């Protein structure tokens, strides 16, 4: 069997590595012509995401390019710390923080070093029966086609032209990086601040730099096409005048600021057909609040490869994969949406973190 994978982000590269480990040939076709240096946000791969990488011995490159996240603190607008939560859970290896660009680069380099064919500048425009056609007029052929093409998945719309579009979460998310070491530090810790109008979080890197994000409630399209300076001003305005370090941190940031509206995909009715299947954000995308989108994409990738390894044909494998994954990912998307909208507290996450993949376990048909 040969798999053509559309998208060389998180799930595409890891699905390819997992399939290779399962003895299935795979090639990756990524729309971006470059290595994704412009992918501006940072993210944390939680325990369960690291576990999925470890299942295929691919956690090493992520650990090398990241720093540990040891816990979080919740702070009120008047500066009181109301909760401290450790990420140390039953001896599980802990989460890691890194930029999306570093994560993409690390996974792509690892996939290529494992002998996986990786083509850039290949934007899928159409596909049928294992043949993928790209914008540049070329095509790739395989027995199955895996849609790892993210939030705005083309493969999702090929499988089901009536699939619902991504949904606005009602939040703009702004990310920034500052090297100013004089601001209050949160070494390897996420300090989360629920302010009067918005939500702010930051963590300090081992060299004293600060990574921060701000979630600003707003309707879709209100802020579009903003420059880094304009995103910085928008974030600053949300915290200006409050007795918290948020405004100070934002002000100390140069042009390393990136913003955009955020979306989720709560439920994709059809995940597969006879020869095509979705993984990661293409199948389900969570709002950034739970910090789990990447980890869920990693779990999907490894479980899909196990299903294709153990079951007799692609449709049977795809059905088993959906059975194993749908309830978990949809529960996560719903809980992340509830955290985003402030309708629930961000508690009780061990059901997410303690997920474990035993690579050698055989996947049953039903
Ligand atoms: C601002 C932001 C912050 C986030 N923060 C976190 C966090 O802290 N923790 C967390 O776990 N998750 C976070 N996420 C979610 C996480 O980034 C996603 O869940 C994760 O990237 C999903 O991986 P994926 O491989 O499915 O999709 P992606 O990483 O989006 O990769 C999809 C790939 O497909 C390519 N592609 C798209 N269309 C085509 C096409 N037609 N042809 C070929 N290639 C195509 C894209 O260029 C891209 O490389 C965040 C997301 C955003 C937007």
């Amino acid at each position: 069997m040969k798999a053509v994978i559309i998208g060389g982000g998180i799930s595409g590269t890891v699905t390819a590595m997992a399939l290779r480990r399962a003895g299935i040939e795979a090639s990756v076709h990524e729309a971006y012509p470059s290595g994704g240096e412009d992918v501006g946000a940072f993210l944390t791969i939680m325990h369960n995401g690291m576990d999925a990488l470890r299942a295929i011995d691919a956690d090493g490159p992520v650990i090398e390019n990241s720093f540990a996240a040891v816990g979080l603190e919740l702070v009120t607008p008047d500066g009181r710390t109301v909760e401290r939560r450790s990420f140390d859970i039953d001896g599980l290896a802990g989460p890691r923080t890194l930029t999306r660009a570093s994560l993409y680069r690390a996974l792509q380099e690892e996939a290529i070093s494992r002998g996986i064919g990786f083509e850039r500048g290949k934007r899928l425009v159409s596909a049928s029966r294992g043949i993928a056609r790209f914008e540049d007029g070329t095509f790739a052929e395989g027995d199955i086609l895996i849609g790892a093409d993210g939030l705005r998945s083309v493969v999702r719309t090929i499988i089901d032209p009536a699939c619902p579009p991504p949904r606005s979460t009602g939040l703009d998310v702004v990310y920034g990086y500052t090297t100013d070491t004089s601001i209050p530090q949160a070494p390897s810790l996420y300090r989360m601040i629920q302010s009067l109008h918005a939500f702010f979080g930051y963590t300090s890197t081992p060299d004293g730099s600060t990574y921060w994000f701000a979630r600003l409630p707003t309707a879709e399209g209100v802020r579009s096409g903003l420059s880094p300076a304009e995103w910085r001003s928008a974030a600053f305005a949300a915290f200006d005048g409050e007795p918290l370090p948020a405004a100070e941190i934002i002000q100390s940031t140069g042009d390393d600021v990136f913003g955009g509206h955020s979306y989720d995909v709560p439920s994709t009715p059809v995940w597969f057909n006879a020869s095509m299947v979705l993984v990661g954000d293409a199948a389900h995308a969570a709002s950034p609040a739970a910090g789990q989108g990447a980890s869920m994409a990693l779990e999907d990738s490894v479980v899909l490869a196990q299903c294709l390894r153990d079951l007799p044909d692609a449709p049977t494998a795809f059905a088993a994969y959906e059975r194993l994954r749908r309830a978990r990912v949809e529960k996560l998307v719903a809980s992340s949406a509830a955290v985003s909208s402030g309708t629930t507290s961000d508690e009780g996450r061990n059901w997410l973190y303690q997920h474990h993949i035993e690579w050698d376990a055989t996947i049953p048909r039903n």
Side-chain angles (χ1 to χ4, degrees):
M1 183 186 288
K2 162 142 201 258
V4 169
I5 299 177
I6 306 303
I10 298 168
S11 55
T13 47
V14 174
T15 302
M17 288 191 271
L19 285 175
R20 194 174 179 90
R21 178 157 283 229
I24 297 168
E25 191 190 339
S27 56
V28 180
H29 307 268
E30 164 58 41
Y32 263 81
S34 70
E37 288 78 4
D38 53 344
V39 187
F42 61 92
L43 43 73
T44 298
I45 308 290
M46 297 305 291
H47 314 73
N48 49 309
M50 293 306 296
D51 175 84
L53 284 169
R54 203 170 313 110
I56 57 161
D57 288 332
D59 53 329
V62 172
I63 292 171
E64 273 166 36
N65 287 282
S66 62
F67 57 95
V70 299
L72 64 80
E73 287 180 359
L74 296 178
V75 183
T76 57
D78 59 4
R80 279 180 305 120
T81 300
V82 287
E83 189 180 334
R84 286 195 172 83
R85 210 181 299 163
S86 167
F87 289 150
D88 186 11
I89 301 171
D90 292 343
L92 295 180
R96 310 289 306 185
T97 299
L98 72 174
T99 64
R100 236 149 65 115
S102 309
L103 179 60
Y104 277 33
R105 212 167 16 246
L107 294 175
Q108 290 172 1
E109 283 173 9
E110 182 66 14
I112 291 165
S113 77
R114 293 184 184 198
I116 288 158
F118 191 101
E119 289 195 312
R120 297 185 202 281
K122 298 291 172 188
R123 180 171 295 280
L124 182 85
V125 288
S126 66
S128 61
R129 292 195 204 91
I131 299 179
R133 291 184 183 76
F134 302 109
E135 201 173 50
D136 65 0
T138 60
F139 64 92
E141 191 168 359
D143 304 295
I144 59 170
L145 187 141
I146 297 175
D149 50 344
L151 182 72
R152 308 264 168 208
S153 170
V154 172
V155 180
R156 182 169 63 220
T157 61
I158 293 171
I159 291 175
D160 177 13
C163 65
R167 173 181 76 171
S168 162
T169 63
L171 295 171
D172 281 348
V173 188
V174 189
Y175 289 83
Y177 303 90
T178 171
T179 52
D180 182 346
T181 51
S182 68
I183 56 180
Q185 297 275 302
S188 293
L189 188 73
Y190 277 89
R191 192 162 288 141
M192 311 289 228
I193 301 167
Q194 179 61 68
S195 115
L196 297 176
H197 312 293
F199 191 88
F200 186 83
Y202 72 102
T203 184
S204 308
T205 69
D207 70 2
S209 302
T210 293
Y211 291 10
W212 59 265
F213 68 86
R215 295 203 288 261
L216 314 177
T218 189
E220 186 180 11
V222 170
R223 297 186 192 98
S224 61
L226 300 194
S227 66
E230 288 166 333
W231 277 115
R232 189 178 54 233
S233 299
F236 180 79
F239 303 99
D240 189 19
E242 293 188 3
L244 293 166
E248 188 188 337
I249 293 170
I250 295 167
Q251 207 164 25
S252 75
T253 305
D255 274 347
D256 273 344
V257 182
F258 310 83
H261 198 69
S262 79
Y263 298 84
D264 66 6
V265 176
S267 183
T268 296
V270 187
W271 279 28
F272 68 90
N273 63 19
S275 62
M276 298 182 205
V277 66
L278 304 172
V279 282
D281 276 13
H284 50 80
S287 78
Q292 273 285 338
S295 296
M296 286 291 151
L298 294 168
E299 289 182 13
D300 277 2
S301 304
V302 178
V303 173
L304 175 61
Q306 288 179 301
C307 292
L308 285 163
R309 175 194 66 190
D310 293 346
L311 295 167
D313 54 62
T316 309
F318 296 164
Y321 158 72
E322 179 178 356
R323 171 174 52 76
L324 291 168
R325 299 298 301 156
R326 183 184 276 277
R328 176 170 169 81
V329 298
E330 290 188 354
K331 182 177 171 185
L332 174 268
V333 177
S335 97
S336 196
V339 175
S340 293
S341 64
T343 54
T344 188
S345 66
D346 184 19
E347 286 177 2
R349 320 222 61 164
N350 282 6
W351 67 273
L352 283 166
Y353 302 155
Q354 288 174 334
H355 186 269
H356 173 61
I357 299 176
E358 196 65 50
W359 174 253
D360 290 328
T362 303
I363 302 291
R365 193 185 183 111
N366 297 304

